[in-house]
Amino acid sequence: MTTLKAKLQEDLTTAIKARDELASSTLRLTLSAITKEEVAGKEARVLSDEEVLKVIAKEAKKRREAAEAFAQGGRGEQAARETAEGEFLDGYLPKQLSDDELVAIVAQAVEEAKAAGAEGPRAMGAVMKIVNPKVAGLAEGGRVAAVVKQQLS
């Protein structure tokens, strides 16, 4: 049984041998973030594949935000690099939900929340509690919150 972390390490070795600078540097940074997460806290531990996916998602999000900041600052070359790294990391993440799928899941959760007595914009927390386990890893939190807010207003 191969874990996601082991696959990242194998891919790093392959990227180094192929002299793929983008892939090797991105994988090094991601593995470093995973190791940092493993040693955080009171005692060292080994991350599960789900936890490793969360770290990869966080790293990909960092790349997207950095690319946006570089683009706004007029540093197109650096923005392109960050975008490429983010897209490379997206290859390790599960396929994201489409907007239609996300809207359908949120609509169902809004109905469940209404049945439980939650109404209007104050029901946001209740709806998010129902939606988050269903879309974990398949949609970014900001996207989910925007759809929930739209459905509740």
Side-chain angles (χ1 to χ4, degrees):
M1 183 176 110
T2 176
T3 65
L4 185 54
K5 183 179 176 186
K7 179 172 176 13
L8 289 170
Q9 290 170 328
E10 290 169 15
D11 290 352
L12 174 60
T13 303
T14 305
I16 291 170
K17 286 180 181 175
R19 298 192 188 283
D20 184 346
E21 199 275 325
L22 176 78
S24 61
S25 68
T26 304
L27 287 169
R28 277 190 179 114
L29 287 169
T30 304
L31 285 166
S32 172
I34 291 168
T35 303
K36 183 178 176 185
E37 191 68 30
E38 286 178 334
V39 298
K42 295 197 183 290
E43 59 185 57
R45 62 196 173 93
V46 176
L47 297 181
S48 67
D49 277 355
E50 292 81 32
E51 292 170 316
V52 170
L53 276 175
K54 285 181 185 177
V55 172
I56 294 172
K58 189 165 63 171
E59 290 296 309
K61 183 178 179 189
K62 278 185 198 176
R63 299 307 190 288
R64 283 191 295 277
E65 290 171 352
E68 207 173 283
F70 281 127
Q72 288 175 353
R75 299 198 44 206
E77 188 177 305
Q78 193 67 31
R81 166 81 183 202
E82 293 291 335
T83 301
E85 288 181 6
E87 289 170 357
F88 179 80
L89 288 174
D90 285 342
Y92 290 97
L93 297 172
K95 186 178 174 293
Q96 297 288 298
L97 291 173
S98 70
D99 289 339
D100 294 337
E101 293 169 324
L102 185 57
V103 167
I105 291 170
V106 170
Q108 181 185 4
V110 168
E111 292 304 315
E112 287 179 38
K114 283 183 179 175
E119 288 279 335
R122 283 189 233 129
M124 178 105 175
V127 174
M128 290 297 284
K129 280 183 187 172
I130 296 168
V131 171
N132 277 337
K134 294 179 183 177
V135 300
L138 301 174
E140 277 188 8
R143 243 180 93 205
V144 176
V147 173
V148 170
K149 195 175 279 186
Q150 174 195 2
Q151 296 252 345
L152 289 176
S153 56

